[in-house]
Amino acid sequence: MIAEKTVKMIDEPAGRVGGYLITWGEPRQPDMQGEYFTPETDVGLDWYERRPVLYHHGLDGALKAAVIGLIDSLTPDEIGLWAEAQLDLRKRYVRAVRRLVDQGVLSWSSGSLPHLVEVGEGGRIKRWPIVEGSLTPTPAEPRRTDVRTLKNAYKALGLDMARLGLGDTEESKPKLEDERGRSMTEETRTPLKRLPLADEREALKAGGIEVGSEFDSLDALDMLHGYMLLRSAKSFRGVSERYSNALAAKVERAKLKAIKADELAYSTQTGFGDEWAPDLWSQQIWHKARQDNTILPLFQSVEMPSNPFELPIEGADPTVYFVPETQDEAHLTLDAGNPMPDSKIGSGKVTLNAKKLALRVGFSSELVEDAVVPVLNIYREQAVRAIADAIDNVLLNGDATKGASGNINSDAARPPTTAKYLALDGLRHLPLVERTQNAVNMNGAPTLAKMRQTRFKMAGKYAARPSDLAWIVDSGTYAALLNISEFLTMDKAGPLATAQTGQIGYVDGIPVFVSAEMSLTEADGKVGGGANSKGQAVCVYRPGWYVGYRRKIAVSVDYLSYYDSYQLTATVRLAFVRFDNEVASCLYNIAV
């Protein structure tokens, strides 16, 4: 059974809130991560009498890991796990959070840690010890919270962290060595001191001392990228001790994990990182692409064990009848004499067919030799952004039409054979090409009435569920929506929009996302050869679409001796499929 998880004030003067932290699910109705809880899930109710309340799992840029309240009651029932918490109204930002609760835009989301979680076949969650509860505008993801966030929260509350298994015991602390490999104690260690960066001041207050280096401005992903560039150089003989130590420390601090033997080594090694750096870099570039995308995180995803892959879906529901009271013994038979007619549960399937997207970025040999460190973050961001933008573009604008006209991205000319949008049919293609009755011509500035008309072009069973819907608009349409009084902007709803989600407001309780991949079009909703000056808004039923992955982002760097240069390549193989033709509608020809 799935239930709404909206947080409600249950004792307004005292700042007390309540709601379902977890709702029981079932295989056919998993959450956005393809998982579901059951009453048998071990949630660790006997671990603590109270747990911290965070905002958005500590990921909000302003509140970060601040503890905004305490969960002091967790009660399971037939719907899920009911939670009650006391907000700390002495803090100014908590009062702002309470206003969001009053407006009904926040939900509960439970947080656990990856090494504590056990998920069974089909996404059934067997073990999920709750270590925190968050008030968030985007429940269900992410739920496995950051270790540093939990440490800060538990320290603030004086809770015992031993159950979390975070390795804070004396035995788990790394042994210290000097530059000659000799053991040192804390008393004999005399590192080079430097002024702390802003995010390290709290650690220094606790007595920690950091060793400075020329790599302080780089993060773990930058240094992994740099290692791959250096490793592909023709003159590569290993990285320096300072580089290897800085890389290992940053990987450990970022809690990254490479599934390799001896994946972290703090000593000087000629081939440091050779086994795990490429895999770890590919893994993290994929994670960052998912984090930064606007379109991709909206939909459920599935790993494709084969290509093509047939995904089972729900079919027709069984028929419900009105039947009389059972009175005769003959009514107990299973034949036609039974007053309760039988019916069937339908089944269905959709086929995922993965297509490949790829990018290539070149580097000169001189760049790698002379300036690899200063430009690492620039080129790394270029690679990540390019592949992330391409994925979002295809999911939104994909149209496999290859003729001289008719493609929604190139209506007046034959599209280039390598155009990324030819890979598959995306969201806009459904209402603009395949089911044109789901498209509404705005022919002017956007209005709430027209947006509602567009929404209800979808089947009622989808359109009537605002929590499962999303609006995707271009930046021009977003600017036009600001003129609609019913559009709930961030200054009214609170700090719900982040660079990670792209969310910029609500219409009728439906979140609105702005995507840079949504182009302006001609009056027919397609990009043509004339003046493309009209906006567009797509309404999608999110559970009606699946993204399939046959290959997540794979990255490699190679030296091209005949050009004396290097190239980074990134590829991904994905599919996009919908359950039926009623899961998207479009408002086009918007004056912006």
Side-chain angles (χ1 to χ4, degrees):
M1 179 176 182
I2 300 297
E4 293 295 329
K5 296 173 65 178
T6 303
V7 184
K8 298 180 180 179
M9 301 298 301
I10 57 177
D11 191 354
E12 176 67 23
R16 194 164 180 79
V17 297
Y20 283 102
L21 182 62
I22 286 174
T23 53
W24 312 137
E26 53 189 15
R28 65 174 186 171
Q29 288 184 304
D31 61 20
M32 294 297 290
Q33 300 219 350
E35 302 168 349
Y36 62 96
F37 293 95
T38 70
E40 289 72 39
T41 301
D42 177 10
V43 294
L45 289 180
D46 59 344
W47 278 31
Y48 303 101
E49 293 183 0
R50 57 181 186 169
R51 292 165 171 82
V53 178
L54 307 179
Y55 180 77
H56 200 43
H57 298 290
L59 301 177
D60 178 75
L63 300 189
K64 299 186 185 300
V67 180
I68 65 174
L70 289 174
I71 297 175
D72 52 25
S73 175
L74 289 172
T75 307
D77 60 22
E78 70 277 5
I79 296 176
L81 187 64
W82 177 266
E84 293 187 11
Q86 177 65 51
L87 298 182
D88 187 354
L89 298 182
R90 296 171 299 176
K91 300 176 180 178
R92 176 176 55 84
Y93 47 79
V94 175
R95 293 195 294 271
V97 171
R98 187 180 67 172
R99 287 196 295 272
L100 297 180
V101 173
D102 291 335
Q103 295 169 8
V105 297
L106 294 184
S107 299
W108 273 121
S109 181
S110 62
S112 189
L113 289 172
H115 70 283
L116 303 177
V117 173
E118 181 182 357
V119 180
E121 185 177 355
R124 183 174 68 86
I125 300 175
K126 296 181 177 180
R127 188 169 184 265
W128 186 278
I130 298 172
V131 296
E132 57 93 10
S134 281
L135 301 180
T136 173
T138 55
E141 187 175 349
R143 297 173 302 178
R144 297 171 176 85
T145 52
D146 184 84
V147 173
R148 291 169 295 179
T149 295
L150 292 176
K151 285 185 176 181
N152 291 340
Y154 274 61
K155 183 177 180 180
L157 298 176
L159 298 177
D160 180 15
M161 290 188 293
R163 285 184 177 271
L164 303 182
L166 301 181
D168 285 343
T169 62
E170 287 297 322
E171 292 77 7
S172 67
K173 294 181 179 179
K175 302 300 184 293
L176 303 175
E177 296 180 346
D178 63 11
E179 66 275 12
R180 297 182 182 179
R182 298 174 299 187
S183 297
M184 294 192 300
T185 65
E186 289 286 352
E187 291 72 24
T188 60
R189 183 187 184 196
T190 56
L192 174 66
K193 295 182 179 179
R194 61 176 173 84
L195 292 175
L197 300 175
D199 59 354
E200 298 172 329
R201 290 170 187 158
E202 291 302 320
L204 287 174
K205 290 179 183 178
I209 299 177
E210 292 285 342
V211 178
S213 77
E214 63 270 35
F215 309 112
D216 289 343
S217 62
L218 304 176
D219 64 17
L221 297 185
D222 291 330
M223 297 198 69
L224 283 167
H225 186 192
Y227 179 82
M228 293 182 64
L229 287 174
L230 294 169
R231 191 186 68 161
S232 63
K234 56 184 178 181
S235 58
F236 182 69
R237 295 294 183 273
V239 294
S240 67
E241 178 183 1
R242 292 175 68 81
Y243 194 99
S244 65
N245 287 340
L247 173 56
K250 290 175 185 290
V251 167
E252 191 278 334
R253 186 180 297 127
K255 305 300 178 185
L256 305 183
K257 179 69 175 178
I259 312 302
K260 294 284 185 180
D262 302 321
E263 67 259 15
L264 294 182
Y266 287 84
S267 60
T268 304
Q269 296 180 3
T270 301
F272 174 80
D274 234 17
E275 288 187 332
W276 53 264
D279 279 356
L280 188 54
W281 167 240
S282 295
Q283 171 190 342
Q284 294 309 311
I285 197 173
W286 169 252
H287 173 76
K288 184 163 178 58
R290 279 190 58 87
Q291 181 186 53
D292 288 352
N293 281 29
T294 299
I295 310 299
L296 180 60
L298 296 178
F299 306 108
Q300 303 175 79
S301 61
V302 60
E303 296 285 347
M304 297 172 58
S306 63
N307 188 46
F309 173 64
E310 294 182 341
L311 179 69
I313 62 172
E314 293 181 18
D317 292 333
T319 304
V320 178
Y321 300 92
F322 166 70
V323 297
E325 179 183 354
T326 303
Q327 296 176 335
D328 301 330
E329 185 174 344
H331 291 169
L332 301 179
T333 62
L334 296 180
D335 57 20
N338 191 298
M340 188 182 301
D342 64 348
S343 61
K344 296 181 179 179
I345 296 178
S347 61
K349 63 182 179 181
V350 291
T351 302
L352 291 161
N353 195 349
K355 304 295 183 180
K356 183 165 68 173
L357 302 176
L359 69 83
R360 181 165 60 90
V361 180
F363 306 87
S364 71
S365 179
E366 290 79 6
L367 173 67
V368 175
E369 294 170 351
D370 301 337
V372 65
V373 172
V375 300
L376 275 182
N377 55 351
I378 299 174
Y379 279 85
R380 187 258 295 175
E381 285 296 331
Q382 177 184 352
V384 175
R385 189 68 269 154
I387 197 71
D389 287 348
I391 293 173
D392 265 12
N393 187 288
V394 169
L395 298 184
L396 181 61
N397 304 310
D399 184 353
T401 305
K402 300 179 180 179
S405 64
N407 193 293
I408 62 174
N409 307 281
S410 181
D411 193 22
R414 187 181 301 275
T417 57
T418 56
K420 54 181 174 287
Y421 53 76
L422 293 176
L424 47 82
D425 291 333
L427 299 173
R428 292 176 56 230
H429 183 268
L430 175 57
L432 291 176
V433 178
E434 296 186 59
R435 189 175 176 83
T436 55
Q437 58 265 46
N438 277 22
V440 176
N441 188 343
M442 183 65 246
N443 195 25
T447 65
L448 181 63
K450 282 288 188 179
M451 295 189 75
R452 287 174 174 171
Q453 179 186 349
T454 303
R455 168 186 169 187
F456 283 94
K457 286 292 183 179
M458 292 187 287
K461 60 182 178 180
Y462 304 142
R465 302 180 64 178
S467 62
D468 288 329
L469 300 176
W471 281 101
I472 304 169
V473 303
D474 57 86
S475 57
T477 299
Y478 163 52
L481 286 175
L482 295 176
N483 296 320
I484 302 178
S485 60
E486 297 89 352
F487 178 56
L488 186 61
T489 55
M490 290 304 101
D491 61 317
K492 301 172 186 174
L496 301 183
T498 66
Q500 285 75 26
T501 66
Q503 184 178 341
I504 45 82
Y506 285 90
V507 173
D508 285 340
I510 302 171
V512 180
F513 299 86
V514 61
S515 173
E517 300 305 311
M518 179 86 86
S519 301
L520 294 179
T521 70
E522 293 186 317
D524 63 354
K526 301 177 182 179
V527 177
N532 294 288
S533 59
K534 303 299 182 180
Q536 198 162 130
V538 177
C539 189
V540 298
Y541 176 68
R542 294 182 296 165
W545 300 79
Y546 263 92
V547 179
Y549 303 109
R550 182 59 176 156
R551 178 197 304 169
K552 294 183 179 180
I553 295 176
V555 185
S556 65
V557 178
D558 303 292
Y559 174 64
L560 307 177
S561 58
Y562 40 89
Y563 289 124
D564 191 27
S565 63
Y566 302 84
Q567 71 172 10
L568 176 148
T569 58
T571 59
V572 61
R573 294 180 66 199
L574 76 164
F576 195 39
V577 68
R578 62 181 182 272
F579 286 0
D580 60 40
N581 288 341
E582 295 280 352
V583 289
S585 57
C586 178
L587 181 64
Y588 66 95
N589 196 18
I590 299 174
V592 297

